[in-house]
Amino acid sequence: MSDARPVARESARRPAEAHRRGAVVAALMLAMALAALDSTIVATAVPQIVGDLGGFSVFSWLFSGYLLAVTVTLPVYGKLSDTFGRKPVLVVGAALFLLGSLLCALAWNMGALIAFRVVQGLGGGALQGTVQTLAADLYPLRERPRIQARLSTVWAVSAVAGPAVGGVLAAYADWRWIFLVNLPVGAVALWLIVRHLHEPQRESGPGSVRSAPRARVDWAGALAVFACGGTLLTALVQGGVAWPWLSAPSLALFGAGLALAGLVVVVERRAAEPVVPGWVWRRRTIAAVNLALGALGLLMVAPTVFLPTYAQAVLGLGPVAAGFVLSVWTLSWPVSAALSQHVYRRVGFRDTALLGIGAAALILLAFPFLPYPGAAWQPALLMLLLGAALGLFQLPLIVGVQSTVGWSERGTATASVLFCRQTGQTVGAAVFGAVANGVLAARLGGAGDLDSVTRALDAGTGEAGTAGTAHEAIRHAVASAVHAVYLGAACAAALAFVVLLCVAPRRFPVLREPGD
């Protein structure tokens, strides 16, 4: 009988633990939805926001300010989660995001709204990095694809639902409700986290939960990383848009950013617990994945930024239909990610990612060979295939990296790969924007950018004669510009393939954990 009681207690404990973990997973999905919905839902309401608050010349900072704040805080939150635990970082980040949402709803002009969007971004960095880290904490290696596939599904649903929800709220309510709807969703997520997330007590040591309050925080390094990242990303976001690339403001920002990068290296080498530790780049596996996901961020710019313009200007589709052509990749991406475990269990993380990025390179390379002007189903089919390829590429790398480190390093490792992916997107927007504008200038015989050309194209729709000939020339120029961008994206995919092949070990050094 003495042996039966522990068994009975263990049997009773398992359903309670399963219920608690299910509640935490629901909270993580809600928190991820807040971050995933943000850009798509706000983009739909820009005309209403500008009409109410003004500030058309600076409205792009509604997105750039948020993106900068998310990107530069990812490494800081990753280190803090390894030092103090995931729960306090996630609670503070969610609270900060909700505070920013409330302030955005109360904004009185465009300057205030941009400032409050930065506050939102400071919380969004904690949501993105900590949710991914907790997903790995909650599940052993063999079960991680399940939770990662759920998180991928959140992004997929958000990509489709965000524009629709934003459009409905902007048309039938008020744009301020776009930010207010975050409050009940975030409140439920916070309540579930506070009530059900109980991190295990770990033995004293660097990065452990129990010893974390006594750990030294590298605040100087955090400030240096924030300043360096913010300066360089601002130079990339505004270069070629607010000022020419070789102008004094652009050169000054890049110079200051490089000087701050040197300062980061000096500060982090002297820090006892650096925000960006050197082992992130000294370990082959993590360094290779960082570079590969940076290339992923780079290539993702081609479809997300330029495909809607191609669909409207070249194919003649409306905004809704153009959005559908893009959104089909969100259908195949999570499905492919969920099924990737059956591949990497047989051939390994690296080889599975090589299959995915190799297929992605071929798909991107096929885009310039589409017939002109073509039908909408042709780019939609390529996007469906691209989503499947990238799902096979990204998830094995994230799961693989998280499985090569212990609890006390997992937040930093996860944040580093997410940071590289976000930085890749920022660099890609700048580089491919310059490529597209250069092709347009060469084809049309003068200076111009993609936005002004497409506006001129809309204004000239339906005209005949000489104007109709000019209209057709612009369509050809836009097609050529987007084709050049897709060729660049294929080169980025090829770069990721080479990095994985030459730098990443064939077998990731996985740390075995209970349940594996």
Side-chain angles (χ1 to χ4, degrees), residues 312-376:
Q312 294 182 66
V314 178
L315 302 182
L317 302 179
V320 175
F324 176 77
V325 171
L326 172 63
S327 66
V328 292
W329 78 337
T330 64
L331 303 177
S332 56
W333 191 316
V335 174
S336 174
L339 297 177
S340 66
Q341 60 177 311
H342 302 294
V343 182
Y344 69 65
R345 285 176 179 170
R346 292 178 177 272
V347 302
F349 294 114
R350 191 200 70 165
D351 290 349
T352 303
L354 285 173
L355 288 173
I357 198 63
L362 295 176
I363 294 165
L364 291 165
L365 194 60
F367 190 90
F369 295 98
L370 292 178
Y372 175 88

Side-chain angles (χ1 to χ4, degrees), residues 12-89:
R13 189 184 302 121
R14 287 175 182 172
E17 291 178 351
H19 172 73
R20 185 166 60 245
R21 189 167 71 167
V24 173
V25 170
L28 296 184
M29 295 179 71
L30 288 174
M32 187 61 80
L34 290 175
L37 279 168
D38 182 82
S39 295
T40 56
I41 197 172
V42 173
T44 312
V46 164
Q48 288 77 14
I49 294 173
V50 172
D52 188 13
L53 300 181
F56 177 79
S57 61
V58 294
F59 83 88
S60 63
W61 275 99
L62 290 176
F63 310 98
S64 300
Y66 178 86
L67 177 64
L68 291 175
V70 168
T71 304
V72 299
T73 54
L74 276 169
V76 178
Y77 284 127
K79 183 61 180 179
L80 291 177
S81 73
D82 285 342
T83 304
F84 296 105
R86 325 296 189 211
K87 183 174 181 178
V89 173

Side-chain angles (χ1 to χ4, degrees), residues 403-440:
S403 304
T404 64
V405 294
W407 187 95
S408 63
E409 296 177 337
R410 189 172 291 143
T412 300
T414 303
S416 72
V417 298
L418 296 179
F419 173 80
C420 288
R421 188 182 66 186
Q422 291 280 97
T423 303
Q425 287 183 265
T426 305
V427 173
V431 171
F432 290 146
V435 169
N437 293 338
V439 172
L440 284 174

Side-chain angles (χ1 to χ4, degrees), residues 174-185:
D174 187 87
W175 64 264
R176 298 178 190 273
W177 281 100
I178 287 175
F179 300 104
L180 291 175
V181 293
N182 291 334
L183 301 183
V185 177

